[in-house]
Amino acid sequence: MRPALFFLVTSAMVTAIVPVSAQERDNNRTLGGHSFVTSSIVDDAFTGTYVRTTTGAGRAVGLEVPVYDLDSNVVATLGGNIAFLSLGLGYQQRLAKWVAVRASFTGAARTGTNHITLLAEGASAVYGGTFGATFRLVEKDRFFLSAIAETRSNSIYAISPLDFVRDVIEGGAADSTTSLLEKGDNWRLVGGLRTAYGFSPLLGVSGLVEYGPAKRFFADEAGDRNTSQFRLGGSVSVDLRHATPVPLGFVGSLNYQSENDRGDDIAGRQATFGLGVFYTGRRDLTLGLETAVQRFDQRDLENKVSTGQIRLVLRYDF
């Protein structure tokens, strides 16, 4: 059974067994009269039931491709750009007012947009899923604090003609150990805290901190794939529906990760900045556009890569 279908069937069964009252549904993500505008960049702290889809497209600019000599020393760099697409589907189910479980599936593809990046970076596709739980610790009229535990895994398939040629030169001939197609898997197990505070019906803020062991897609120079991941994020939510007749909401987000879940060997640490505008005319429906700008480290180089992405985000709270 496909993962997305499995998640939907399982959630439907749990929904039938564990009903949620109408009053609880109204309070899924409301504190101090403020209904939080959700972000695809910084996950919220709440334990309500919802389904969310994300569709995005973007472009990486300022990429520098290292040119190596036969001794694997960088002797020059070439510039280029990369385009990419992404899809995401997530579902969270409240089991009780103090606990919820969730699962998600995501996929992304990227390719070089000129002869330099197409030759050096080629094309790649990455997909994976998460499974986790949120536990309510403190709930007040304006304040919410929860603990989370989550496991994440991804698989990547990448084609890099330049790396293939270099391996052939170093190895002397193409054999079963020298493949044009590379495959890697990563894994994360994190725990952390998430919080939200509603200042007024107009304004709210949220934040998160996570940490846990991780495994990289590919080994580093020492041959080690084991590492750890630290994540810190926050967002500001503004809902004009309570102050004006305009049913619009805005969310600004900042997210930092010490290891990139979704990238391959060109990316390590990453910082993501986001700004979204959403329709807030219904308390159970969030629909809008969110832009995300990211800064990545590059392997063997000092400069960073900047990426821009626009995402169509839809969330429905049950």
Side-chain angles (χ1 to χ4, degrees):
M1 182 179 293
R2 295 181 181 275
L5 181 59
F6 173 78
F7 297 153
L8 291 176
V9 172
T10 303
S11 62
M13 294 174 62
V14 175
T15 302
I17 298 173
V18 187
V20 180
S21 71
Q23 182 179 3
E24 289 177 331
R25 284 198 299 270
D26 287 342
N27 293 326
N28 272 353
R29 49 186 174 86
T30 300
L31 295 173
H34 178 73
S35 296
F36 280 77
V37 182
T38 61
S39 169
S40 63
I41 298 172
V42 176
D43 301 312
D44 65 45
F46 303 110
T47 55
T49 299
Y50 68 83
V51 61
R52 183 176 71 188
T53 64
T54 306
T55 305
R59 189 179 182 91
V61 296
L63 177 70
E64 290 190 359
V65 178
V67 179
Y68 301 89
D69 61 17
L70 295 181
D71 295 322
S72 297
N73 299 313
V74 178
V75 295
T77 59
L78 300 173
N81 301 321
I82 290 176
F84 54 90
L85 299 171
S86 63
L87 297 170
L89 171 65
Y91 183 84
Q92 178 169 287
Q93 173 64 52
R94 172 182 285 181
L95 301 181
K97 195 172 183 180
W98 60 273
V99 61
V101 295
R102 63 183 168 278
S104 65
F105 176 81
T106 55
R110 73 171 204 184
T111 183
T113 59
N114 57 22
H115 65 283
I116 295 174
T117 51
L118 193 58
L119 177 64
E121 298 298 332
S124 65
V126 58
Y127 65 91
T130 68
F131 184 80
T134 299
F135 305 91
R136 183 194 65 182
L137 300 179
V138 179
E139 182 178 7
K140 302 294 184 180
D141 180 60
R142 295 179 180 273
F143 178 72
F144 196 97
L145 176 67
S146 61
I148 67 101
E150 194 165 82
T151 179
R152 307 165 186 159
S153 63
N154 295 286
S155 296
I156 188 171
Y157 293 87
I159 297 174
S160 176
L162 189 61
D163 287 343
F164 173 74
V165 172
R166 187 168 64 248
D167 289 343
V168 170
I169 293 174
E170 294 176 352
D175 55 27
S176 59
T177 64
T178 305
S179 174
L180 182 61
L181 177 65
E182 287 188 285
K183 180 182 182 297
D185 300 284
N186 75 358
W187 173 82
R188 306 283 190 269
L189 178 61
V190 298
L193 297 173
R194 296 178 182 174
T195 186
Y197 188 88
F199 287 97
S200 68
L202 180 67
L203 178 67
V205 296
S206 61
L208 63 81
V209 59
E210 297 175 357
Y211 182 79
K215 190 176 289 290
R216 300 184 183 95
F217 278 121
F218 304 109
D220 59 15
E221 294 180 355
D224 188 13
R225 292 181 58 201
N226 295 319
T227 184
S228 60
Q229 175 173 287
F230 172 74
R231 183 185 179 197
L232 182 66
S235 65
V236 178
S237 168
V238 177
D239 188 357
L240 298 181
R241 174 170 55 102
H242 296 285
T244 73
V246 181
L248 286 180
F250 300 89
V251 59
S253 306
L254 171 62
N255 183 76
Y256 168 81
Q257 286 184 202
S258 61
E259 289 287 334
N260 183 11
D261 285 271
R262 309 294 298 164
D264 60 11
D265 58 347
I266 72 163
R269 295 174 297 175
Q270 71 172 47
T272 305
F273 307 88
L275 179 63
V277 55
F278 292 87
Y279 167 75
T280 59
R282 291 176 52 178
R283 298 186 67 177
D284 57 354
L285 176 66
T286 302
L287 175 63
L289 294 175
E290 188 171 23
T291 60
V293 178
Q294 296 175 318
R295 293 282 287 170
F296 293 97
D297 286 336
Q298 284 195 86
R299 179 189 61 180
D300 297 336
L301 295 173
E302 294 183 358
N303 77 301
K304 297 178 181 289
V305 181
S306 296
T307 71
Q309 184 177 175
I310 186 166
R311 302 171 180 175
L312 175 64
V313 182
L314 185 150
R315 169 170 163 160
Y316 185 81
D317 292 88
F318 295 90

